[in-house]
Amino acid sequence: MYQPIHLSDHIYYVGVNDRRTQLFENLWPLPLGIAYNSYLINDHKVALIDTVEIGQVEKFLQKIKAVVGDRPLDYLVINHMEPDHAGSLRIIRQMYPKVQIVGNKKTLPMIEGFFGISDNLMEIKEGDMLDLGRHKLRFYMAPMVHWPETMMTYEEQEKVLFSADAFGSFGALDGAVFDDEMDFHGLRDEMRRYYSNIVGKYGSPVQKAMQKLKDVEIKMIAATHGPVIRGHIPEVMELYRHWSTFQGEKGVVIAYASMYGHTGEMAETVARSLAEQGIKQIKMYDVSRTHASFIISDIFKYKGLVLASPTYNNGLHPNMEALVSILQGIGIKNRELGILGSFTWAGAAVKRLNEFAEVLKLNVIAQPVEEKHALKKQQYEACRALGVEMAERLKETEKD
Ligand code: FEO
């Protein structure tokens, strides 16, 4: 039933699309679905690289059969244990009882912990090679990209890097499996949303992994999500270098919470001031309308950030609290931050946003603007001044 999809003569794509799951990790919206990628190398020995989320196992097994027929699998390489990739491990072992499961010293206890499997496991170390015949697999540890056991597997003959979560993307594969079969520019937003929300905290481990691979010739990047990259490898590497160092482009994200519109008016005032100063990339989000993952993705993109919230229960509006709490968890760095707040009888929002800035050592620009009741002339002018100063900071940033 399945026409095998070749990465090369003997390397196949056997991943699956999921357009039913609404929330990845039961947290992140999937408006375009998601792909769980797995790869099969059909050599003298047969190796499967990662599995798929358990809900898709039936389709997955059919795809494997379409490539190998009745041949058994010799190896199952587990690059990453998160259940969106290792979820079908137990079924694979049941279908192929002699398959050796390959992982590193951190993987193997997780296999026992999640699946109760402790036999026929093969422990490999950094730089070890697994010989399949014509194809040889070399292993590179990539801890915390995105779990501690994560590793990458490099196939030396075809120069394919099986990179686990790194270089992956949200979005199911709509027919196109390779980046050069689709609109790459359309892909970048979901790639950044995936990176920023899932891997974004681990910028330093990402840089270490990229440093380790800097002299490795890579013709294809076969991640566990998103398309196989073969047409835009330098661009994708550059995007990862940019994001992992928390660099921002010239532009501002304004994220605001507003119950009755007063705080929203402050945010609009800053936005207009920024536009008058020539800032062309201004992204405004009402945090009660847009899921935080989309806002965070743009916060990773742009250097400027303005957060605005009314005081609510002596703190932030809960949706703004959720956003700053995720940003704090990720550890967003290196942003110019403007702070706006409003209150009716006792102000607490600006205080909380200042604490957030302090924890993350963000550069707070101008004086935070705090208004009581509706926006009036003095604070209106302060909002405009904040926009001017933000624009100035971004000009300075551009020169750096
Ligand atoms: Fe796609 Fe960390 O799992």
Side-chain angles (χ1 to χ4, degrees):
M1 284 288 285
Y2 288 106
Q3 180 69 27
I5 298 169
H6 291 259
L7 272 67
S8 67
D9 284 350
H10 301 286
I11 304 180
Y12 299 83
Y13 177 84
V14 289
V16 295
N17 282 316
D18 179 357
R19 295 189 182 83
R20 290 190 172 187
T21 299
Q22 298 289 323
L23 295 174
F24 182 72
E25 296 180 345
N26 216 7
L27 189 58
W28 313 107
L30 294 173
L32 303 177
I34 191 161
Y36 310 116
N37 297 341
S38 169
Y39 305 91
L40 192 54
I41 304 175
N42 196 14
D43 201 333
H44 298 300
K45 298 284 185 181
V46 180
L48 182 65
I49 315 284
D50 293 308
T51 76
V52 302
E53 197 270 336
I54 187 66
Q56 305 288 321
V57 69
E58 185 63 32
K59 232 183 292 175
F60 178 51
L61 291 172
Q62 287 175 24
K63 288 190 171 193
I64 293 170
K65 285 271 178 202
V67 174
V68 297
D70 292 331
R71 284 191 78 189
L73 304 184
D74 296 291
Y75 301 109
L76 167 58
V77 175
I78 296 292
N79 282 323
H80 181 23
M81 274 300 293
E82 194 165 4
D84 52 331
H85 309 300
S88 299
L89 187 152
R90 192 201 316 275
I91 303 282
I92 290 292
R93 170 52 73 81
Q94 285 167 356
M95 297 296 294
Y96 301 99
K98 293 189 177 162
V99 70
Q100 273 203 294
I101 302 176
V102 180
N104 59 65
K105 69 174 181 197
K106 292 181 186 159
T107 321
L108 304 189
M110 289 191 188
I111 292 174
E112 181 156 19
F114 277 109
F115 299 102
I117 294 174
S118 56
D119 64 313
N120 219 2
L121 304 177
M122 178 190 287
E123 181 181 327
I124 52 82
K125 298 187 191 64
E126 176 81 37
D128 280 358
M129 195 265 279
L130 181 62
D131 193 344
L132 304 179
R134 286 183 296 266
H135 299 79
K136 295 171 194 347
L137 302 179
R138 184 83 59 188
F139 302 100
Y140 294 91
M141 303 303 118
M144 301 319 296
V145 187
H146 135 240
W147 279 13
E149 88 302 352
T150 308
M151 63 182 195
M152 298 186 189
T153 299
Y154 177 67
E155 194 288 306
E156 294 186 337
Q157 177 172 302
E158 304 293 343
K159 306 190 188 315
V160 180
L161 179 69
F162 300 101
S163 62
D165 279 343
F167 311 111
S169 172
F170 285 135
L173 299 175
D174 297 341
V177 168
F178 299 91
D179 63 331
D180 53 13
E181 297 177 327
M182 61 176 62
D183 171 18
F184 177 69
H185 296 291
L187 171 72
R188 284 192 300 195
D189 281 350
E190 280 298 79
M191 185 178 265
R192 191 180 63 252
R193 192 167 70 93
Y194 177 81
Y195 175 83
S196 54
N197 288 280
I198 307 299
V199 190
K201 180 179 178 63
Y202 306 110
S204 172
V206 167
Q207 287 167 45
K208 279 188 193 135
M210 289 178 71
Q211 181 66 19
K212 197 180 277 189
L213 294 166
K214 76 177 183 348
D215 296 325
V216 177
E217 187 184 357
I218 299 169
K219 290 193 174 164
M220 269 184 250
I221 299 175
T224 44
H225 302 288
V228 176
I229 309 289
R230 64 182 179 190
H232 301 86
I233 290 175
E235 290 99 317
V236 168
M237 290 283 187
E238 175 56 21
L239 287 173
Y240 260 63
R241 190 195 61 74
H242 198 75
W243 297 333
S244 64
T245 51
F246 293 94
Q247 291 177 24
E249 298 172 20
K250 187 177 182 184
V252 182
V253 174
I254 302 176
Y256 69 93
S258 193
M259 289 182 283
Y260 299 104
H262 297 110
T263 319
E265 205 179 337
M266 296 173 80
E268 298 279 4
T269 305
V270 173
R272 180 61 199 149
S273 174
L274 285 166
E276 285 174 359
Q277 296 301 313
I279 301 297
K280 295 213 164 33
Q281 297 297 335
I282 303 168
K283 305 285 183 187
M284 287 199 76
Y285 292 106
D286 180 333
V287 295
S288 298
R289 183 184 177 91
T290 304
H291 189 274
S293 66
F294 296 92
I295 306 173
I296 288 165
S297 179
D298 268 346
I299 290 172
F300 261 74
K301 184 171 185 184
Y302 296 112
K303 177 86 173 167
L305 174 62
V306 176
L307 297 175
S309 174
T311 295
Y312 193 103
N313 285 343
N314 203 29
L316 292 176
H317 184 285
N319 291 347
M320 179 57 73
E321 181 58 44
L323 176 67
V324 299
S325 156
I326 298 171
L327 286 171
Q328 208 163 306
I330 289 173
I332 187 78
K333 293 182 181 59
N334 198 23
R335 292 293 176 272
E336 304 293 335
L337 176 66
I339 293 174
L340 312 174
S342 70
F343 64 97
T344 297
W345 65 93
V350 165
K351 181 167 173 276
R352 168 70 181 107
L353 289 173
N354 270 323
E355 287 164 5
F356 160 76
E358 205 173 307
V359 169
L360 293 178
K361 298 186 171 52
L362 303 179
N363 306 317
V364 178
I365 61 161
Q367 271 295 104
V369 185
E370 190 168 34
E371 180 60 287
K372 186 175 184 179
H373 306 152
L375 181 59
K376 294 175 281 299
K377 185 164 176 39
Q378 187 179 352
Q379 299 306 54
Y380 173 82
E381 294 301 342
C383 288
R384 289 185 54 79
L386 190 147
V388 171
E389 186 165 339
M390 174 68 87
E392 277 302 312
R393 292 277 186 104
L394 294 183
K395 278 179 201 154
E396 285 168 21
T397 300
E398 203 177 29
K399 283 185 211 142
D400 287 344

